Amino acid sequence: MKIKGRDSGAWHKNINDTVGPRRPTDTDFPWLALRNHTGYYIKKKGKLSQIQIDERLLALIQSHPSKEVAIAACADKLSTRVIRNLLVNDLKVEPDGTLAVQEYLQVILATNHEDSGAVSEVEAQWAKCLLEHTSAGGSLGQQLHDVLSLLPARVAPDLLLYKDIKRLADSICTEFAKQLQDLRHSNRWMDAHAAVGWLSTASTSRNTLQTMSSGARLLIEDYLPCWGAWAAWRPHIPRLRAWKDSTTFAYPYLEDLLALEGPDFASIKGSEEVTLREGLIAQGSRGSQSTLQWGKTHASFNRNPFIQSENLKGILGRLTCVMDFAFSAGPEYTALLEHLYRDKTISNEVLQLLEGVQFLDNPIFTAVILNAFTVPKQNVGQIICDIRQLLPALNDARIFGLRQQMQPYLAYQISRHVRELQNTLLIQIDEGSDWLDATAELLIFTYGLQEQTWLLAELDHSVQLFIASPPFLMTMETLGAVRNSLRSTTTSTPTPLLSQIDAYCKAQLIPGCIIDPKVLGLVEALIRFWQQDADRNHRELALLIADLPHTGCQFRCDCLTDISILSNFWVISTLRAFKFRNGSPELGCIALIRLLVSETSTEITERWRKVLSFAIEKQHETLLRYAVTHLTTSMWLELLSNIKVVYKEFEVTSDRRSLKLLSLELHTWSQQIADHLPTLTRLESVLKHGPAMQVLLLGITASKNYQLLRVLGLVTDSKSSYHTKVMDNIIALLHSENADEIEDSLSVVSKARLKGAEACLRVLDSRGQIHPELATVELALSLRASDLSGPDHLALRKVAILFGIDLDSDGFPSAAGLKLAADSVHKRYLKLITEAQRLENLRLSLQAVAPASVSKLLVRLHIEAPSVVDDALATLPPSLGSLVEKISKNELELQFPATELTRLQRFAIGAGDAESFLIRLTLRQNGAPVKFCIHLSAESSDQTEDHTPWQVFRGNLRGNNRPPHEQYCHGRPNLGIYQLSRILWHHLRHNFQSLEQTHTHMTSKISKLGQGCAVCGSGTRHLRRATICSSPSCQSTFLKAPIEIQLAEIWQDPPVMDLLLSMFHATASTGKLDLLTNCPASNAPDVTSMFDGLPEIPNLAKHLKACLNVHEKDFRLPQAVVGYCTQSNCSETLAKALLWACLSYRGFLVSATELQRIPSFGSNQFLLANTAPELETAFSRHAPTPRSESHILFHGTCLDRLHAILCQGLRVQSGTALQRHGAAHGAGIYMVDEPSVAWGYATVSTGGWRSSKLKNQQLLLGCELAGPKPQAVRGGIYVITDATRLAVRYVFLLGSDARMPAAKDVGIPMQSVFQSLRSNTL
């Protein structure tokens, strides 16, 4: 049937707009509105039969994209038969159908809502169930519960969706059974309980079964035959939850143990218990067996009803408690459980062990117990600390079973550990290491074992014996302290006592080690002494005595007993004697000898005399040397007497003859010289403790000692003090080999007369001076003296020979000796001169620090002080001698040659033809300059007129505490002197050290005068003339400088001044004052009229010079130019304009000289030696060296743009108001190779200021391009986009009819000038 499209389209639109995204299953689905739309549609069609209505609505349904919505809108108007036929045939879902499953289910639900006769409630419930399943809603258990409740007992053949609902039920049952199987085998009982919760909602499985239809019961019996066990399951939920949260039970080996809390699958169907554990208990109670198996696990139990903990219920209950504890006890307990359960057997013994570990509840103990069963032979060192902690815990009787099972393991490990400790101790003792810590560890461990009586019987026999009677820890600690003290007071070589102490330690702690009983007694006596006497000195002496060699142990024990009653002085003296204490060991020996002499106890004297003998043997040589070099003669004789008393005569004569101090010969000699004690005492004051005095005190041999006695007799019987002094000098030469010579000389001198002795003494005194060669001269004079006799001459010659003076055959000093004396005098003279120079340098240094004090000292010493200038000149190196000249007593002049400056540098600083700079300094008393002035050599600094130097104040004094910025002395001002004056002021005020340093500093600054700011000195090194930096302070300071410096171009370079005024005038003529940055004038016509009133530059220079000569320091530029102003009030502006014209561009523009001129460019050529500092710095980055690549390019412009170009450089103006020509090749600066091309862009500057010589000229700029030349855009034209690569070097002014040269003709001379500028040779 054909339906009009407009009405059906409206129906479809209304239906879609009303429904929107909603579906029939939504609660807010607009059922009524849809019916109204359909009713309205049918009403518009007029009166129709039901068949016609069915046809039209079927057509609407077929054409509507959402069938469920269309049926919801039309179902109440369609006949039941038509709807049913539509659902069964037309809309049924097929594998290749176009209608989706969910959409078909929605259609069934919509139909049921509108016509329950067409779709029954059962079919609607099935559709709803299938729809929910397709949307994956709910768990599998809940889905199965829902599906089973929908399966009827009998099914009509024409019901919709039955096959689908049956297929769904089969699928869910399959998945649910698999899910339960997976959860059961993975021990996820908590998840399993959640899945089967719907089965246990009824009180019993029978009731649950009765609620299901026969179809549902058949289905669940087929897929889940053990569903009754699941339904009866009532586990302990908190336990399952705790097991689930623990990772301990993720291991499959615990599957049977975890299953105890699961469903009872073991009981007969229909008699299931709430858990498997309860089911097993029920099984065990019915039989007579004592073992029970489930899964792979066997449980052994006792059927005795009076031992409940060991029956099946008790065993399984305890096992469950163990499992509950295991989930939180950590991996050690789990590993222990796994090990004990490795054979799948649960017994009372296994549970006792696990319960004991649970009782201890300590992970460390658990690890030890685990090791006992898994690695019983494990290295003891790794777990012994844990075993130590475990032992006290095992004393608890409640864990008797655990203790019994651990006893063999612990006995093995402890016995092994004790042996290891003893072996370690033995190794340390044998190596000589400190064994105290190892001893303490062994004993502390042993003491702890004494408390474990339950374990002792299991230990090794040797270990049992050691534990039964170990030494006291305090005793061993005392012994260790003794040993450490012994090691700290002795050398690294082991001593006998150290070995004896180690042997004692072995005997006490190491089985099988024995010790000599005498040594045992000595060590124990030393230990007792150490415990009873804490005095440090006593302990050191005890160590000394106990370690004495070649003495018996009993002797040393007796000496140890004596120490406690000896005086502190005795103890310290003995220690010093053995070098155990700071101080002289010799004095210790001497003091010990005196103490033994005064001791009343014979036993003590006998014992300690032996100790003294060891000290004397050890220190004999040093003791003997000390005694004769430090003791007086009387003390020496007393010492020998005391030794004789201590050792008794028989020991002196026989036992100790190998020692000098104990020899009979020495003691006999001491008795012989005792009669000459006064003479020896006097000689001691002369000879001190020299070699001669030592010979007299010690003697030589028995035969030569008689010569020494005669020597002493001659000295005792000397005639006069002169004889005595001569003899003293002779005796000073005494040694063991020349006693006869000394005796002979003394005998000859004793026969000389008084004058002879006096002459001998003069010779000896001369020899004793700094230059002993003078003694030769004195001897020659004395031998030729007429008042000396023969014995006198003989005495002189004897003395000369004895003291090594060379004599000839006639007995007079040799010629060689006299010449040597003369040479010595000459060397002494030269040394005095050197010393005088050193003292003069010292005076100069002190003069610089404290001049007033040094002057007073010189006056007091009657020494004439040189002037401060003389001092300064004396410190100069020879190289500066010709460059420094003394002017007066406090003035000098430093010369600095200017010959190294190039012509351009000279021109820049205004030096002219001067050959040097002259700096005059006025010095203070300390040599520091206080005033200065600077001149050029051409100005003759020594003119008759007085100098007015600038003062230098050090510190922060007020007044002229500033660098000079004005003319302060006579001479013509120029930029060079202005800069140098400021530089020198800063140097003298802050950095002055010496005139040499000042000369070096200023020489360096003169070579760099053109660089940087003229005021502060900072700036770039690429400038050729100093300028003013951008600092406002520097600019304001420079405006105070002399007018000759600010307007230097007027006098130095009139053409440049003409050019500066011309470009100023040209710019003002265009009215573009914005091109004149910071211009002092604000009205362009006023500027042009002011400049038009000026005369020619040479005449202006003469006029200003005349005004300067008349007014001098009162000169003011506005007053000087007032005559050139048309208006009386414009002189200030004109003066500022002149200054601004010279200073504003901050470059260095000069008239090109003959060598700098470029051929064929006319006479008006100007060289821009350097641009503004920042422009020159930027350019130098592209051409850093004189050999850097650069090229020559030309640019034509007009004069009114020149000032801006000089100030800012050539800039890219494309696209701005300042663009003069087109930019056919893009933005940039257009440059050319050929001057003729650039000349075509130059513009004639009409007019010009009235007196200018540069009127009506065209402007051409010669530029330097740093770096490689870019690609030409057309016919030698280049577009430069980086303005910093360009530097204007030449300014050419020519008439409009001028002919331009070719680039090849001017390239070489221009490039030569550019390289000369960069190398500073121009």
Side-chain angles (χ1 to χ4, degrees):
M1 181 178 181
K2 188 175 181 181
I3 301 175
K4 294 183 179 180
R6 185 174 60 182
D7 293 339
S8 63
W11 181 85
H12 288 299
K13 183 177 182 304
N14 292 335
I15 291 298
N16 289 336
D17 292 345
T18 301
V19 172
R22 290 170 290 189
R23 289 294 176 262
T25 52
D26 296 336
T27 56
D28 60 342
F29 191 76
W31 298 97
L32 182 59
L34 295 179
R35 293 191 202 113
N36 293 335
H37 287 307
T38 304
Y40 180 73
Y41 170 80
I42 294 174
K43 184 179 180 180
K44 288 184 65 177
K45 297 303 177 182
K47 189 173 181 179
L48 297 175
S49 65
Q50 185 60 45
I51 295 175
Q52 291 176 325
I53 292 174
D54 290 342
E55 289 177 349
R56 290 184 178 273
L57 293 183
L58 282 175
L60 290 176
I61 291 173
Q62 294 291 346
S63 62
H64 196 77
S66 180
K67 299 296 186 289
E68 71 272 23
V69 174
I71 289 178
C74 301
D76 68 319
K77 301 293 191 294
L78 286 169
S79 61
T80 300
R81 180 186 56 79
V82 171
I83 295 177
R84 186 72 180 182
N85 183 60
L86 178 67
L87 294 177
V88 172
N89 298 313
D90 297 345
L91 297 182
K92 186 175 181 179
V93 178
E94 299 294 342
D96 57 348
T98 59
L99 195 62
V101 174
Q102 289 190 3
E103 187 177 0
Y104 182 66
L105 296 176
Q106 292 281 356
V107 168
I108 292 176
L109 290 175
T111 305
N112 173 260
H113 185 274
E114 294 299 315
D115 189 351
S116 58
V119 174
S120 67
E121 291 297 329
V122 173
E123 292 171 324
Q125 290 179 4
W126 289 353
K128 186 176 182 181
C129 180
L130 290 172
L131 192 60
E132 290 175 353
H133 179 72
T134 57
S135 61
S139 63
L140 281 175
Q142 186 62 44
Q143 291 181 40
L144 180 59
H145 179 268
D146 294 342
V147 171
L148 291 178
S149 65
L150 296 178
L151 290 178
R154 290 193 301 270
V155 180
D158 60 343
L159 282 180
L160 297 174
L161 302 178
Y162 173 72
K163 292 182 180 179
D164 298 299
I165 200 69
K166 182 63 170 63
R167 191 185 307 112
L168 176 62
D170 292 342
S171 173
I172 294 178
C173 278
T174 302
E175 292 182 17
F176 184 65
K178 183 178 182 302
Q179 181 189 39
L180 292 182
Q181 190 71 9
D182 292 342
L183 293 176
R184 175 181 175 182
H185 291 303
S186 61
N187 302 324
R188 294 164 58 192
W189 294 110
M190 188 65 195
D191 295 337
H193 183 267
V196 300
W198 63 276
L199 280 175
S200 58
T201 53
S203 58
T204 65
S205 60
R206 296 293 180 183
N207 292 335
T208 304
L209 182 62
Q210 291 172 359
T211 60
M212 299 182 186
S213 65
S214 58
R217 285 197 302 272
L218 290 175
L219 185 65
I220 197 169
E221 290 285 354
D222 289 341
Y223 287 97
L224 197 64
C226 59
W227 72 276
W230 288 107
W233 185 29
R234 299 294 186 275
H236 189 263
I237 301 303
R239 177 174 293 135
L240 293 184
R241 186 176 295 111
W243 290 3
K244 177 182 178 182
D245 294 339
S246 173
T247 58
T248 302
F249 301 104
Y251 304 116
Y253 64 86
L254 296 176
E255 179 180 0
D256 289 348
L257 302 185
L258 295 173
L260 289 174
E261 198 64 30
D264 180 15
F265 299 116
S267 297
I268 300 174
K269 187 172 182 181
S271 62
E272 297 93 341
E273 298 291 338
V274 294
T275 62
L276 177 61
R277 180 177 61 256
E278 300 300 327
L280 293 175
I281 292 172
Q283 289 184 40
S285 63
R286 291 193 291 268
S288 60
Q289 73 275 19
S290 59
T291 60
L292 185 67
Q293 179 178 359
W294 73 98
K296 297 179 181 180
T297 302
H298 295 78
S300 301
F301 59 95
N302 192 336
R303 301 194 68 84
N304 189 339
F306 300 103
I307 308 177
Q308 296 183 1
S309 62
E310 297 183 14
N311 62 26
L312 183 58
K313 183 176 182 180
I315 291 291
L316 295 180
R318 290 162 60 194
L319 178 59
T320 302
C321 293
V322 166
M323 296 292 294
D324 287 342
F325 175 75
F327 88 92
S328 61
E332 296 85 1
Y333 192 86
T334 306
L336 179 62
L337 175 62
E338 176 187 4
H339 179 77
L340 296 177
Y341 180 61
R342 65 186 182 279
D343 58 353
K344 301 295 183 180
T345 300
I346 300 297
S347 63
N348 181 55
E349 290 75 15
V350 171
L351 292 176
Q352 279 185 336
L353 197 150
L354 291 172
E355 287 168 343
V357 176
Q358 180 179 352
F359 175 80
L360 295 175
D361 193 12
N362 188 316
I364 297 177
F365 296 165
T366 307
V368 174
I369 297 169
L370 175 64
N371 289 330
F373 290 97
T374 55
V375 280
K377 304 299 183 181
Q378 182 185 15
N379 185 2
V380 67
Q382 300 177 5
I383 59 170
I384 194 62
C385 293
D386 300 336
I387 290 178
R388 288 182 179 182
Q389 299 180 46
L390 175 62
L391 287 176
L394 291 176
N395 285 328
D396 196 313
R398 289 173 291 182
I399 53 174
F400 177 79
L402 173 62
R403 186 172 67 192
Q404 288 296 106
Q405 297 186 57
M406 289 291 296
Q407 194 171 20
Y409 170 77
L410 294 176
Y412 169 80
Q413 293 290 10
I414 289 172
S415 298
R416 182 179 176 185
H417 182 58
V418 170
R419 290 193 298 271
E420 286 184 0
L421 289 178
Q422 291 173 335
N423 291 335
T424 301
L425 177 61
L426 183 60
I427 292 172
Q428 290 182 351
I429 293 174
D430 292 341
E431 290 178 349
S433 305
D434 183 10
W435 42 256
L436 184 56
D437 291 340
T439 299
E441 183 181 0
L442 174 60
L443 291 177
I444 292 172
F445 184 65
T446 302
Y447 297 154
L449 293 176
Q450 290 176 337
E451 302 174 1
Q452 315 303 324
T453 56
W454 56 272
L455 183 63
L456 295 179
E458 298 292 329
L459 300 176
D460 291 352
H461 181 68
S462 61
V463 176
Q464 291 183 40
L465 294 177
F466 179 72
I467 294 174
S469 58
F472 290 109
L473 178 59
M474 181 180 296
T475 300
M476 301 309 296
E477 287 178 342
T478 303
L479 186 62
V482 172
R483 187 179 187 276
N484 291 336
S485 298
L486 181 61
R487 289 180 65 89
S488 65
T489 54
T490 58
T491 60
S492 58
T493 304
T495 64
L497 179 59
L498 192 64
S499 300
Q500 292 166 352
I501 291 174
D502 291 344
Y504 179 88
C505 183
K506 287 182 182 179
Q508 295 295 315
L509 300 174
I510 309 299
C513 294
I514 59 175
I515 186 173
D516 188 339
K518 295 180 180 179
V519 175
L520 177 67
L522 174 63
V523 176
E524 289 181 344
L526 186 58
I527 292 173
R528 287 192 301 272
F529 178 88
W530 212 265
Q531 292 174 341
Q532 296 169 5
D533 195 337
D535 186 82
R536 178 186 174 191
N537 295 327
H538 289 186
R539 286 184 171 183
E540 288 190 7
L541 183 56
L543 293 176
L544 170 65
I545 296 302
D547 207 19
L548 277 179
H550 311 300
T551 57
C553 292
Q554 186 59 46
F555 169 80
R556 285 179 270 176
C557 289
D558 294 340
C559 288
L560 290 176
T561 306
D562 293 339
I563 292 176
S564 59
I565 61 175
L566 295 177
S567 66
N568 191 49
F569 181 67
W570 187 308
V571 173
I572 293 177
S573 298
T574 307
L575 291 173
R576 285 181 176 171
F578 285 90
K579 294 185 178 180
F580 267 61
R581 264 285 177 261
N582 293 333
S584 171
E586 297 82 9
L587 286 178
C589 289
I590 295 170
L592 187 56
I593 292 171
R594 289 175 180 169
L595 290 169
L596 286 173
V597 170
S598 61
E599 178 57 47
T600 59
S601 173
T602 305
E603 293 81 2
I604 293 177
T605 303
E606 289 296 328
R607 282 193 291 269
W608 289 88
R609 180 175 61 195
K610 196 171 185 178
V611 176
L612 174 63
S613 299
F614 283 109
I616 292 177
E617 288 179 6
K618 186 176 182 181
Q619 312 292 342
H620 180 263
E621 293 300 326
T622 58
L623 175 60
L624 185 63
R625 184 165 55 252
Y626 178 86
V628 297
T629 56
H630 290 79
L631 300 181
T632 64
T633 303
S634 59
M635 294 172 64
W636 165 253
L637 296 177
E638 179 190 359
L639 173 64
L640 293 177
S641 176
N642 289 338
I643 290 175
K644 192 171 183 180
V645 171
V646 172
Y647 286 96
K648 302 179 182 179
E649 188 163 349
F650 76 91
E651 293 187 23
V652 171
T653 57
S654 58
D655 292 348
R656 302 293 181 175
R657 286 181 297 176
S658 60
L659 300 178
K660 183 76 172 177
L661 278 173
L662 304 180
S663 67
L664 176 62
E665 188 177 273
L666 177 61
H667 285 272
T668 303
W669 171 247
S670 67
Q671 293 175 356
Q672 292 174 348
I673 65 175
D675 297 336
H676 295 280
L677 182 59
T679 300
L680 288 170
T681 303
R682 189 192 62 76
L683 285 173
E684 185 179 30
S685 64
V686 175
L687 302 177
K688 306 305 179 184
H689 295 285
M693 194 65 198
Q694 296 177 29
V695 171
L696 291 175
L697 294 179
L698 294 172
I700 305 175
T701 61
S703 59
K704 290 188 177 183
N705 283 347
Y706 291 104
Q707 292 178 340
L708 294 181
L709 289 175
R710 287 193 293 271
V711 167
L712 290 174
L714 289 170
V715 175
T716 304
D717 299 335
S718 63
K719 298 178 182 180
S720 66
S721 60
Y722 291 108
H723 287 83
T724 301
K725 291 180 180 179
V726 173
M727 289 181 177
D728 289 346
N729 279 278
I730 293 174
I731 290 179
L733 299 178
L734 176 65
H735 54 79
S736 60
E737 303 296 332
N738 69 346
D740 52 351
E741 186 180 0
I742 295 297
E743 180 192 0
D744 182 46
S745 298
L746 291 177
S747 177
V748 172
V749 170
S750 66
K751 298 175 183 178
R753 296 183 305 159
L754 181 62
K755 287 189 176 181
E758 186 178 358
C760 290
L761 187 61
R762 286 197 303 272
V763 172
L764 294 176
D765 288 344
S766 299
R767 186 181 179 279
Q769 295 178 2
I770 299 176
H771 298 278
E773 296 84 357
L774 296 179
T776 304
V777 180
E778 184 63 38
L779 177 63
L781 293 175
S782 299
L783 288 175
R784 286 175 173 78
S786 58
D787 55 347
L788 295 183
S789 63
D792 298 336
H793 287 175
L794 183 60
L796 282 170
R797 290 188 175 94
K798 205 69 175 177
V799 167
I801 294 172
L802 188 63
F803 285 92
I805 299 177
D806 222 3
L807 300 179
D808 58 15
S809 57
D810 296 329
F812 286 92
S814 64
L818 292 174
K819 184 177 183 306
L820 182 63
D823 293 340
S824 175
V825 171
H826 179 66
K827 290 180 180 178
R828 188 175 183 185
Y829 167 76
L830 294 178
K831 189 174 182 180
L832 289 174
I833 293 299
T834 304
E835 179 64 13
Q837 184 62 46
R838 186 186 71 81
L839 293 175
E840 176 63 11
N841 293 336
L842 178 61
R843 183 194 66 79
L844 291 173
S845 300
L846 294 175
Q847 184 88 21
V849 178
S853 300
V854 173
S855 298
K856 291 179 181 179
L857 177 62
L858 294 178
V859 171
R860 190 161 61 248
L861 297 176
H862 305 288
I863 299 175
E864 181 181 357
S867 68
V868 64
V869 172
D870 293 332
D871 289 343
L873 293 176
T875 62
L876 291 175
S879 59
L880 294 182
S882 60
L883 300 177
V884 182
E885 180 183 357
K886 179 179 180 181
I887 303 301
S888 65
K889 66 178 183 178
N890 64 345
E891 287 184 316
L892 52 80
E893 193 171 71
L894 279 68
Q895 180 181 358
F896 298 87
T899 54
E900 298 296 326
L901 299 178
T902 65
R903 290 187 60 83
L904 193 61
Q905 287 176 314
R906 287 173 173 273
F907 187 79
I909 63 175
D913 296 327
E915 296 181 355
S916 60
F917 289 93
L918 302 176
I919 297 179
R920 177 172 293 197
L921 299 176
T922 303
L923 306 182
R924 287 177 176 161
Q925 287 298 318
N926 62 358
V930 69
K931 299 178 182 178
F932 71 88
C933 59
I934 304 178
H935 301 274
L936 294 171
S937 58
E939 296 175 346
S940 182
S941 72
D942 59 346
Q943 296 179 26
T944 56
E945 57 183 296
D946 293 334
H947 288 261
T948 56
W950 191 267
Q951 294 190 2
V952 180
F953 291 93
R954 303 181 73 83
N956 291 322
L957 301 178
R958 301 190 177 210
N960 291 333
N961 188 20
R962 55 179 175 79
H965 55 69
E966 58 192 30
Q967 184 68 13
Y968 56 90
C969 197
H970 63 77
R972 179 173 58 85
N974 59 61
L975 184 59
I977 292 178
Y978 178 83
Q979 282 185 267
L980 287 177
S981 296
R982 297 183 66 85
I983 293 170
L984 181 60
W985 183 89
H986 282 286
H987 170 74
L988 296 179
R989 189 170 186 270
H990 300 292
N991 303 314
F992 175 77
Q993 297 177 6
S994 65
L995 290 178
E996 180 183 3
Q997 177 241 7
T998 299
H999 196 281
T1000 302
H1001 176 74
M1002 295 305 294
T1003 300
S1004 172
K1005 293 298 182 181
I1006 288 173
S1007 65
K1008 302 174 183 178
L1009 273 181
Q1011 301 175 7
C1013 175
V1015 177
C1016 65
S1018 64
T1020 177
R1021 62 182 180 86
H1022 303 286
L1023 302 183
R1024 285 90 191 176
R1025 182 177 73 172
T1027 183
I1028 310 302
C1029 68
S1030 57
S1031 169
S1033 174
C1034 292
Q1035 294 177 3
S1036 62
T1037 299
F1038 191 72
L1039 291 178
K1040 301 175 185 177
I1043 198 66
E1044 295 98 317
I1045 299 175
Q1046 297 187 59
L1047 296 178
E1049 281 81 357
I1050 292 181
W1051 292 281
Q1052 286 185 257
D1053 201 342
V1056 169
M1057 190 66 195
D1058 191 352
L1059 176 60
L1060 295 175
L1061 295 180
S1062 295
M1063 60 187 183
F1064 197 172
H1065 187 277
T1067 306
S1069 298
T1070 63
K1072 298 178 180 178
L1073 289 183
D1074 55 329
L1075 295 177
L1076 304 174
T1077 306
N1078 298 325
C1079 174
S1082 58
N1083 187 281
D1086 291 344
V1087 174
T1088 56
S1089 62
M1090 281 191 303
F1091 286 172
D1092 286 340
L1094 291 175
E1096 293 182 356
I1097 299 302
N1099 295 333
L1100 178 61
K1102 291 179 182 179
H1103 170 72
L1104 294 178
K1105 189 64 177 179
C1107 293
L1108 283 168
N1109 292 335
V1110 172
H1111 299 285
E1112 295 183 347
K1113 292 186 177 182
D1114 296 329
F1115 172 84
R1116 298 292 181 270
L1117 183 60
Q1119 298 175 1
V1121 299
V1122 70
Y1124 302 123
C1125 296
T1126 57
Q1127 300 177 5
S1128 59
N1129 60 351
C1130 71
S1131 60
E1132 287 286 348
T1133 304
L1134 179 58
K1136 292 179 180 179
L1138 289 174
L1139 292 172
W1140 181 85
C1142 293
L1143 303 177
S1144 59
Y1145 74 103
R1146 299 170 61 229
F1148 183 22
L1149 189 64
V1150 296
S1151 298
T1153 60
E1154 183 176 352
L1155 295 177
Q1156 300 160 4
R1157 287 181 175 274
I1158 307 304
S1160 303
F1161 275 121
S1163 59
N1164 295 325
Q1165 298 185 25
F1166 300 92
L1167 175 66
L1168 188 59
N1170 63 255
T1171 58
E1174 54 274 10
L1175 298 178
E1176 200 68 42
T1177 300
F1179 179 80
S1180 65
R1181 295 192 186 102
H1182 301 288
T1185 66
R1187 297 294 181 182
S1188 298
E1189 179 183 1
S1190 68
H1191 301 275
I1192 301 170
L1193 295 176
F1194 294 92
H1195 183 79
T1197 184
C1198 56
L1199 193 60
D1200 60 288
R1201 302 290 180 94
L1202 182 58
H1203 183 272
I1205 292 174
L1206 294 183
C1207 291
Q1208 305 174 21
L1210 286 168
R1211 299 174 67 181
V1212 177
Q1213 302 293 352
S1214 302
T1216 68
L1218 295 177
Q1219 176 179 324
R1220 296 182 64 245
H1221 301 285
H1225 303 288
I1229 304 170
Y1230 282 69
M1231 308 295 294
V1232 295
D1233 280 326
E1234 289 295 335
S1236 58
V1237 178
W1239 185 248
Y1241 292 92
T1243 305
V1244 176
S1245 178
T1246 58
W1249 67 287
R1250 184 175 302 166
S1251 300
S1252 174
K1253 295 183 178 180
L1254 303 175
K1255 297 179 181 179
N1256 302 321
Q1257 301 286 307
Q1258 286 186 221
L1259 178 61
L1260 181 67
L1261 300 179
C1263 304
E1264 183 177 12
L1265 175 67
K1269 187 186 294 186
Q1271 185 71 31
V1273 295
R1274 179 175 60 83
I1277 298 176
Y1278 303 92
V1279 179
I1280 309 300
T1281 56
D1282 185 359
T1284 60
R1285 293 180 57 198
L1286 280 174
V1288 177
R1289 293 300 183 209
Y1290 272 99
V1291 176
F1292 300 114
L1293 291 176
L1294 302 97
S1296 58
D1297 56 348
R1299 296 176 61 84
M1300 291 295 101
K1304 61 183 179 62
D1305 297 329
V1306 300
I1308 294 177
M1310 289 183 72
Q1311 193 66 48
S1312 175
V1313 172
F1314 293 170
Q1315 290 185 358
S1316 298
L1317 281 176
R1318 288 206 300 274
S1319 60
N1320 293 322
T1321 58
L1322 191 61

